[in-house]
Amino acid sequence: MVIKIIYLDVAVQDLASIYKFISQDSVKYAKLEVKKIKAFTESLKNQPLKGKPYQIINGTDVRSIIFKHYTIFYTFEGQQINILSIHHHARLVSNNPAFKIEE
């Protein structure tokens, strides 16, 4: 069984923001941090249910797992892991665009 990891738009924006913030001090360490985050999310392929249940949104079980100063929110369905957001602990989850309910 081959599990794919897909970074949704908010997660891609989160990685870009992390890179941009860290690169103000060091491009080298910004690249390294993004690389470590991606490597950690890849590890979910081996244990996709490793993260704890966070909440159910639109009938989908959202899970969360901690990596350094980040909470990674994701869903696991079939053979696909969707990375919803890479959320820094200093930010409020209520402001996270990954959890805005569209009306």
Side-chain angles (χ1 to χ4, degrees), residues 29-89:
Y29 288 110
K31 288 179 182 177
L32 185 60
E33 187 73 355
V34 170
K35 184 177 180 179
K36 287 179 180 180
I37 292 168
K38 286 184 171 184
F40 182 78
T41 59
E42 285 292 318
S43 74
L44 290 171
K45 287 181 176 180
N46 298 323
Q47 291 181 301
L49 300 177
K50 178 167 54 172
K52 65 179 184 174
Y54 177 67
Q55 65 184 17
I56 296 174
I57 298 175
N58 296 331
T60 303
D61 181 28
V62 175
R63 303 185 78 79
S64 67
I65 192 161
I66 305 295
F67 176 73
K68 291 184 165 190
H69 301 291
Y70 307 99
T71 302
I72 299 169
F73 295 100
Y74 69 97
T75 60
F76 173 59
E77 299 176 73
Q79 295 183 4
Q80 183 170 307
I81 295 171
N82 295 311
I83 306 297
L84 305 176
S85 178
I86 301 154
H87 183 84
H88 193 278
H89 293 174

